[in-house]
Each structure stands twice: as C-alpha cells, then as structure tokens.
C-alpha cells in the first residue's frame, strides 16, 4: 500500500474536517446524523466535501437504481482524493452491508468500510488509519441486537427532525431485501426516544417525524404489545414539540388504540403513510403481504370515519411478476374511487436474493415504466381535484424558508421532502420555524399558493 498522510489543518480548531454524503431513505439519514454526532467532538463537520479531509458516503442498497447511485457517488468522492483535499474515504450503510467484499474489490480507493451496525467503531478506525495507515475493509460481525442511537448532528431543516423508533423488519415481503440487511424488527426503549425528542425540542425542533420500517409494530417485541399509541401520548407532553407525524404504518397492523390516539391528540398531525404497494389480492399474496384488498379498503374507511380531515399517503409497485393488465387496472379503479391524497409509484425492481426475483412472469421494463407513468397521470388528476377543495381554507403553516420571491412552508397535510409546499408572500418578516396562518387562494400541480391571514395570527 502506498503511504498515505493526512496533514494537520491550519485552522483554529486544529481538527480534521469531515464531510458526509447521505443517500437513500430517512432512516439512513438518521444513521448519518448519528455518525456525525459520534464524530463531532473529535472532528470538524463540514457540509462541503470539497474542503473535507475525510469523506463519508452512507450508501443505500435497496433497489438497483439506489445501488448504482451509491457506487457512482463513492467513485465521485474517490476523485476528491485527486482534485480536492480528501485523504480518507469511508463507505457505510446498506450497500456495504450487502456487498462489502465485492465493493472493496471494485473500489480500492475506499479506506474504511462499515456495515449498518458498526458506527460505534468509526472513530477508532479513523485513528488507526491516520496513525498507521491501517485500512478497515472488513465488516464487523453483524448483530441483530444492535440499534444505532446517540447524539445526532441534524442535516434536516432545524424545524423538523426524524426519530427512528425501531430498527429492522419482520415482514419479509418477497420483493424486499431490508430484513437481510437490517435484521429483525427491534424497538428502541421508550425512555431513549423521549429523551431524544426532548433534546431535539431544546434545540428548536417543532416537528418530530416517527419512522421505522413498520412503525405500527413499535413495542410489540420489548413490551410484548403494540405501544405506538403510548409512545405518542408521552411525546405529546414535551412542551416545545408542536407536531408529531407518523410514517410507514402498515395498514394491517393499525389498531384501534392508535387510531383513537391520533384522532384525539391535538399534537398528532392527521396524516398517515400507509405502504399499500398493491390492491390486487393475487399480487398482494405474491408480494408476501399480510393483508387483502378488502382489509385495506375497510381500514381506509375506518381511518376516515374516526379521524376528521385525515390525509393518507401511500406507494404502489407496478409491474410486479405476474401482474396482468387486470391486476394493474384494479389499482386505477381503487385510486379513482378512494382518492388517496398522496401517492408515489415505483416500477418493480428485480432484486437479487429476494423470492420475487426468481418468480416466473417477470415483466419487461418498458411495460413497468408505462404503467408507472399512467398511474402517476391518473393520480395527478386526483391531486388536482383534491387541491381545488383547499382553496379558501385556513391552515397553520410551519415556515421553512424564503426562495427570494415567496416564503414557503408546510401544512399538516405535507411531510417534508416527499410532499409539496405552501407558497406565500408577507409584508412582515417571518422566521423559519414560526407557525403562521395562511389562507389558500390558488392550487398548482402540487404546490399551493396562499396569503397570510394577519388577523388570525394575532
């Protein structure tokens, strides 16, 4: 191995600068923030990898496009060793957990590689590298028991933060590799989550977003019963938190106590993300989903009956093996009848080491893409119809910034990064993180335009 040296920085802190590139889902983002938190006492954190001595790429390995993005990003950052200041390149996350040895051989510029449960070793490995040029390309023994926790350096808007309440997954959907990468479902202790939320609140966070592979199963392992409703009740007692948002609730696992808590707790925004994925009973069974079309429809009806003005978001996978035109049309009919507020659509990705990848009846990419496009066109019309009904309504908006012409923010109906925004102008200065009353006056394709209701703001 060629000798590698990292020169001390000529700055007041005399610390190496660390840059992070985080890819993939919001659960991966939390991991990235925990990694930065573990490093923040020893290193200076920078958002600009061009001036970083150490670059970390936290990878995603969920589907083929995400894997390729991760590889491309690592290769891009490897060039920073030549063109910029980087002397140490670290790869972490799902892709390294899944393809560690292969990835190390493919990209020898990687100096340190960690799996999804190895982050507590990162400072030790960096020290070994700096002091002795010792690479760490072997993943540590994977543990189904570990959960990454600890101090975080937020990479989101200061007003909102994700809180991961559990790790892993027990669902074993036939198209998904996550249980093999992340391990079995395991809940975090309630007191740890509450303490984390208190720390976030003290640092100005107004909205906490609860995430896991399946949030509705929270507590079923360590407390021997579903306990998400109890967790929400405790989190609502934290003074600085104004909004509690819950994502990734598998419809078959939603239970009455949770519905009641969402309905009656003023801090819980009336918004749920339900990963439905399909509505054809045949495809649901092939996917390994533990539900049916009838059960999904009944749960949606119940949620709308019990929770006033609830907003429902979901995702669909189209082009799954053996999906016929009739199966696909069931999704179209479902969307047109039940008019879900937010819908994401993904063409099926044939992932190795999953049961679905070996199924007969694989569908061509052209058909998958065509079906995805058709479904999104239909949903665009549904969204426009729904948005027209919002004109004249008054919303509390969590302000997130100014784009030079408009302030922008979100109502309770909008989750960060995946949903639209409300745009508005104001004759008065408004700070990020402030809640302000805005009346909707115009709907665009997805964003809404409003005016500040100053009387209501008094």
């Amino acid at each position: 191995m060629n000798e590698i040296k990292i020169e001390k920085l000529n700055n007041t802190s005399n610390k190496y600068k660390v840059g992070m590139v985080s890819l993939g889902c919001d659960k991966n983002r939390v991991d990235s923030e925990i990694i930065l938190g573990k490093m923040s006492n020893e290193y200076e954190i920078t958002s600009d990898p061009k001036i970083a001595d150490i670059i970390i790429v936290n990878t995603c390995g969920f589907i083929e496009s995400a894997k390729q993005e991760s590889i491309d990003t690592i290769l891009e950052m490897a060039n920073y060793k030549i063109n910029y200041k980087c002397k140490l390149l670290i790869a972490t996350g799902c892709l390294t957990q899944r393809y560690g040895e292969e990835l190390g051989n493919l990209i020898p510029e990687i100096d340190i590689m960690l799996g999804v449960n190895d982050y507590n070793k990162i400072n030790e490995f960096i020290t070994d590298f700096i002091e002795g040029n010792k690479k760490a390309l072997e993943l540590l023994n994977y543990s189904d028991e570990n959960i990454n926790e600890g101090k975080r350096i937020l990479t989101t808007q200061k007003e909102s933060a994700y809180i991961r309440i559990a790790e892993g997954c027990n669902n074993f959907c036939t198209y998904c590799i996550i249980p093999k990468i992340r391990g079995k479902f395991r809940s975090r202790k309630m007191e740890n989550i509450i303490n984390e939320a208190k720390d976030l609140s003290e640092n100005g966070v107004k909205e906490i977003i609860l995430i896991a592979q399946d949030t509705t199963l929270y507590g079923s392992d360590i407390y021997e019963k579903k306990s998400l409703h109890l967790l929400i009740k405790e989190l609502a007692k934290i003074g600085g938190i104004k909004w509690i948002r819950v994502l990734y609730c598998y419809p078959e696992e939603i239970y009455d106590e949770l519905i009641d808590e969402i309905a009656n707790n003023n801090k819980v925004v009336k918004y749920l993300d339900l990963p439905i994925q399909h509505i054809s009973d045949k495809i649901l069974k092939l996917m390994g989903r533990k539900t049916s079309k009838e059960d999904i429809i009944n749960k949606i009806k119940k949620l709308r009956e019990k929770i006033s003005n609830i907003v429902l978001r979901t995702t669909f996978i189209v082009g799954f093996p053996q999906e016929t035109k009739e199966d696909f049309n069931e999704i179209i009919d479902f969307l047109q009848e039940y008019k879900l507020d937010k819908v994401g659509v993904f063409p099926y990705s044939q992932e190795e080491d999953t049961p679905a990848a070996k199924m007969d009846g694989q569908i061509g990419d052209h058909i998958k893409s065509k079906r995805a496009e058709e479904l999104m066109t239909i949903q665009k019309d549904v969204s426009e119809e729904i948005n027209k009904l919002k004109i004249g309504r008054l919303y509390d908006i969590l302000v997130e910034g100014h784009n030079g012409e408009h302030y922008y923010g979100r109502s309770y109906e909008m989750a960060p990064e995946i949903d639209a925004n409300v745009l508005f102008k104001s004759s008065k200065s408004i700070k990020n993180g402030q809640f302000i009353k805005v009346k909707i006056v115009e709907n665009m394709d997805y964003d809404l335009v409003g005016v500040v209701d100053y009387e209501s703001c008094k």
Side-chain angles (χ1 to χ4, degrees):
M1 181 187 352
N2 295 330
E3 184 178 4
I4 302 172
K5 294 182 180 179
I6 298 181
E7 301 295 335
K8 284 287 184 181
L9 296 177
N10 294 319
N11 61 27
T12 55
S13 66
N14 205 32
K15 291 182 178 180
Y16 302 128
K17 291 186 177 181
V18 175
M20 168 73 78
V21 181
S22 185
L23 304 172
C25 66
D26 42 35
K27 294 172 284 292
N28 221 37
R29 180 195 288 271
V30 171
D31 277 342
S32 297
E33 294 175 347
I34 291 172
I35 292 171
L36 293 177
K38 292 181 182 299
M39 300 181 70
S40 59
N41 289 336
E42 302 295 329
Y43 305 96
E44 182 179 338
I45 309 301
T46 176
S47 60
D48 184 0
K50 292 181 180 178
I51 65 172
D53 303 278
I54 302 167
I55 295 178
I56 305 168
V57 181
N58 194 16
T59 63
C60 178
F62 182 46
I63 58 176
E64 188 61 37
S65 59
K67 289 186 288 186
Q68 189 60 53
E69 181 187 20
S70 294
I71 291 171
D72 291 345
T73 302
I74 294 172
L75 290 171
E76 179 186 354
M77 294 301 109
N79 286 329
Y80 281 37
K81 286 184 169 185
I82 301 171
N83 299 320
Y84 298 100
K85 298 184 62 178
C86 179
K87 300 296 188 297
L88 196 168
L89 179 60
I90 302 173
T92 66
C94 291
L95 190 70
T96 59
Q97 183 69 48
R98 190 176 179 187
Y99 298 107
E101 183 176 354
E102 182 180 344
L103 192 62
N105 292 331
L106 177 67
I107 310 178
E109 293 89 345
I110 299 174
D111 302 301
I112 295 174
M113 188 184 302
L114 301 174
V116 296
N117 286 144
D118 299 340
Y119 304 139
N120 60 327
K121 291 285 187 178
I122 193 165
N123 286 337
E124 174 187 333
F125 284 173
I126 291 174
T127 299
D128 288 345
F129 182 85
I130 292 173
E131 295 181 352
N133 295 329
K134 182 180 177 182
K135 287 196 173 190
L137 296 178
E138 293 185 8
L139 299 178
L140 301 180
N141 292 330
Y142 175 77
S143 172
D144 244 351
E145 305 301 322
N146 292 346
I147 300 179
N148 294 313
E149 295 182 290
K151 175 184 175 182
R152 293 164 56 187
I153 302 296
L154 292 186
T155 60
T156 55
Q157 292 267 25
K158 183 181 178 182
E159 301 77 36
S160 301
Y162 296 96
I163 296 182
R164 182 175 52 206
I165 63 175
E167 177 63 284
C169 185
N170 291 346
N171 289 317
F172 293 97
C173 300
T174 60
Y175 53 81
C176 183
I177 198 68
I178 292 298
K180 292 184 179 180
I181 296 175
R182 292 281 179 172
K184 69 181 182 182
F185 183 89
R186 48 210 190 273
S187 303
R188 294 177 61 196
K189 292 181 179 178
M190 194 176 297
E191 57 266 31
N192 292 357
I193 298 171
I194 293 169
N195 287 335
E196 181 177 350
K198 288 179 179 177
D199 289 341
L200 291 170
S201 174
E202 290 171 1
N203 283 282
V205 170
K206 301 291 195 304
E207 175 190 30
I208 55 174
I209 306 159
L210 306 185
I211 57 172
Q213 290 303 133
D214 183 355
T215 54
T216 36
L217 284 180
Y218 174 75
S220 58
D221 52 341
I222 59 175
Y223 301 125
E224 299 183 347
K225 66 177 182 179
K226 295 179 184 177
S227 304
L228 181 57
H229 65 297
L230 299 175
L231 174 63
I232 290 172
K233 190 185 295 288
E234 292 302 312
L235 291 171
K237 297 176 183 178
I238 301 173
I241 300 300
K242 304 298 183 184
W243 280 356
I244 301 172
R245 189 179 300 273
V246 184
L247 301 186
Y248 314 129
C249 294
Y250 278 57
E252 65 269 24
E253 299 295 349
I254 294 174
Y255 54 102
D256 288 345
E257 293 93 337
L258 176 61
I259 294 175
D260 291 341
E261 186 64 32
I262 294 172
N264 299 321
N265 191 320
N266 291 332
K267 287 194 175 183
V268 182
V269 297
K270 312 317 177 194
Y271 177 114
L272 280 182
D273 185 306
L274 312 175
I276 292 174
Q277 312 301 18
H278 217 283
I279 204 65
S280 159
D281 282 333
K282 183 190 85 177
I283 301 300
L284 287 169
K285 185 175 181 180
L286 288 170
M287 285 180 166
R289 302 302 297 252
K290 304 177 182 68
T291 187
S292 67
K293 179 178 184 177
E294 182 181 7
D295 289 341
I296 291 170
I297 290 173
N298 287 339
K299 193 59 62 74
I300 289 172
K301 288 180 177 179
K302 188 172 189 177
L303 288 167
R304 286 175 166 170
E305 175 188 349
K306 297 286 187 179
I307 306 173
S308 178
N309 294 320
I310 188 169
V311 169
L312 298 178
R313 180 182 180 86
T314 195
T315 51
F316 287 100
I317 297 173
V318 296
F320 192 80
Q322 302 178 37
E323 180 190 71
T324 63
K325 183 65 173 175
E326 289 72 24
D327 295 320
F328 175 68
N329 285 339
E330 285 194 56
I331 305 178
I332 294 176
D333 293 341
F334 171 79
L335 286 182
Q336 290 177 333
E337 181 173 358
Y338 291 97
K339 301 185 187 304
L340 299 186
D341 302 85
K342 321 280 184 180
V343 174
V345 181
F346 300 94
Y348 165 71
S349 178
Q350 187 177 3
E351 293 301 311
E352 60 183 324
D353 297 328
T354 62
K358 303 171 185 176
M359 289 180 180
D360 294 333
Q362 299 290 330
I363 294 174
D365 290 342
H366 173 71
I367 295 176
K368 289 188 284 190
S369 297
K370 184 178 179 181
R371 288 180 181 176
E373 183 179 346
E374 183 178 351
L375 208 59
M376 284 309 299
T377 299
I378 290 169
Q379 180 58 29
K380 184 178 179 180
D381 292 338
V382 172
S383 296
E384 183 176 355
E385 180 182 339
I386 291 173
N387 279 346
K388 283 181 179 178
L389 299 177
K390 302 182 192 304
I391 294 177
R393 290 184 185 176
L394 190 65
Y395 287 93
D396 285 320
I397 301 300
L398 175 58
V399 180
E400 293 186 318
H402 192 275
N403 62 15
E405 181 179 1
H406 293 93
Y407 286 97
Y408 60 88
R410 293 179 291 108
S411 72
Y412 82 90
E413 299 177 341
M414 301 166 172
E417 301 177 318
I418 55 175
D419 292 331
N421 290 296
V422 175
L423 308 176
F424 62 95
K425 295 182 178 180
S426 174
S427 59
K428 301 178 182 179
S429 178
I430 300 174
K431 296 180 180 179
N432 289 359
Q434 183 177 343
F435 282 88
I436 193 161
K437 298 283 187 181
V438 173
K439 181 179 289 186
I440 306 302
V441 296
E442 180 185 353
N443 72 294
M444 304 169 72
D445 284 345
Y446 294 102
D447 289 334
L448 299 172
V449 179
V451 294
V452 177
D453 190 314
Y454 294 106
E455 289 299 316
S456 299
C457 292
K458 291 181 179 180

